Amino acid sequence: MSLTHANMRSLAQHCQEACLKLIFGENFDGPVWPNQLNDKEATIGEAIVGEHGLLKHLETLVGSTGPEANFFDRSLAYLEALLKADGPGRFFHSSLQVDPIGVCKHLLMMRDDLIMHGWDGKKHSNQKKLKDFSEVELHFFSLPGIPERLRNVHKKLNRSTKQIAEVKVFDRFDSLTPLWQDVLQCLEKGGTKVNAISFPTEGQAKKTDLAT
């Protein structure tokens, strides 16, 4: 029996929904050790995703896909920004003269972490380091990394998100960065089921063959 157009659309919708049941862990973009998921076997319609994987799904959902920058390219752009903002009064000045590449990578990771914790790149404090980061930000021109992309997704998550049926969170919710917490809360408000994967209790852990 041949499929009608209506049946084809229904089948495609069903497949799409099945593929959008996700298991999320911040560090799951690489290989995942099976026992971390309580010996869970592969299941049709579920995917294991890390930060990058879930972000790609969310960008597709809100229609904000675009070119991406890798850490190396962003580091070169950030080094240029550091050199332009540098001066004897900067907290990173002396270290930058000694090891510009190493300092650049370290400060870029610090800068990204600040954004994941809610910083918008502007001056909001008399704190010396934050002021200096704000000055560097004025010279930082690069394709967006994960922090900027996730912040952009968060701003646009004001619609139904039922295309993503469920997100099972492997990490403890309070261990996620605030920006990821906000995004998951928006997904839940939009109709996505957001559930934590249960961890073994202390009593259950003692039953393993590694117990002493």
Side-chain angles (χ1 to χ4, degrees), residues 167-193:
V167 177
K168 297 178 182 178
V169 183
F170 179 80
D171 304 281
R172 289 183 173 85
F173 193 80
D174 59 4
S175 73
L176 300 174
T177 55
L179 186 52
W180 269 118
Q181 291 184 34
D182 291 344
V183 166
L184 290 172
Q185 287 173 349
C186 286
L187 283 174
E188 196 165 29
K189 290 178 182 177
T192 300
K193 293 180 182 178

Side-chain angles (χ1 to χ4, degrees), residues 121-202:
K122 300 178 182 178
K123 298 178 183 178
H124 293 290
S125 163
N126 292 324
Q127 212 277 339
K128 169 64 176 170
K129 288 186 177 180
L130 200 57
K131 279 188 172 182
D132 285 353
F133 271 117
S134 300
E135 291 298 325
V136 176
E137 202 71 10
L138 296 176
H139 304 283
F140 184 41
F141 304 103
S142 170
L143 290 173
I146 284 181
E148 295 93 343
R149 290 164 58 198
L150 187 60
R151 184 171 59 187
N152 184 49
V153 163
H154 180 236
K155 292 177 181 178
K156 296 181 178 181
L157 273 177
N158 55 359
R159 65 189 75 181
S160 171
T161 61
K162 291 182 180 179
Q163 295 94 324
I164 299 178
E166 182 178 14
V167 177
K168 297 178 182 178
V169 183
F170 179 80
D171 304 281
R172 289 183 173 85
F173 193 80
D174 59 4
S175 73
L176 300 174
T177 55
L179 186 52
W180 269 118
Q181 291 184 34
D182 291 344
V183 166
L184 290 172
Q185 287 173 349
C186 286
L187 283 174
E188 196 165 29
K189 290 178 182 177
T192 300
K193 293 180 182 178
V194 178
N195 298 308
I197 292 178
S198 61
F199 289 82
T201 63
E202 183 177 353

Side-chain angles (χ1 to χ4, degrees), residues 46-98:
E46 285 191 346
I48 299 172
V49 294
E51 276 193 318
H52 188 265
L54 181 53
L55 179 55
K56 291 286 287 182
H57 282 294
L58 295 175
E59 286 178 324
T60 300
L61 179 66
V62 301
S64 66
T65 57
E68 305 170 21
N70 58 47
F71 189 77
F72 176 77
D73 289 337
R74 295 179 71 238
S75 295
L76 291 179
Y78 202 67
L79 177 58
E80 184 177 351
L82 285 170
L83 294 173
K84 287 182 178 179
D86 190 25
R90 301 298 183 205
F91 78 89
F92 51 80
H93 175 70
S94 297
S95 298
L96 191 64
Q97 311 308 307
V98 176

Side-chain angles (χ1 to χ4, degrees), residues 1-17:
M1 182 179 68
S2 61
L3 290 172
T4 65
H5 288 298
N7 287 335
M8 290 287 287
R9 284 196 298 269
S10 177
L11 180 60
Q13 182 179 5
H14 173 76
C15 290
Q16 182 185 41
E17 290 175 353

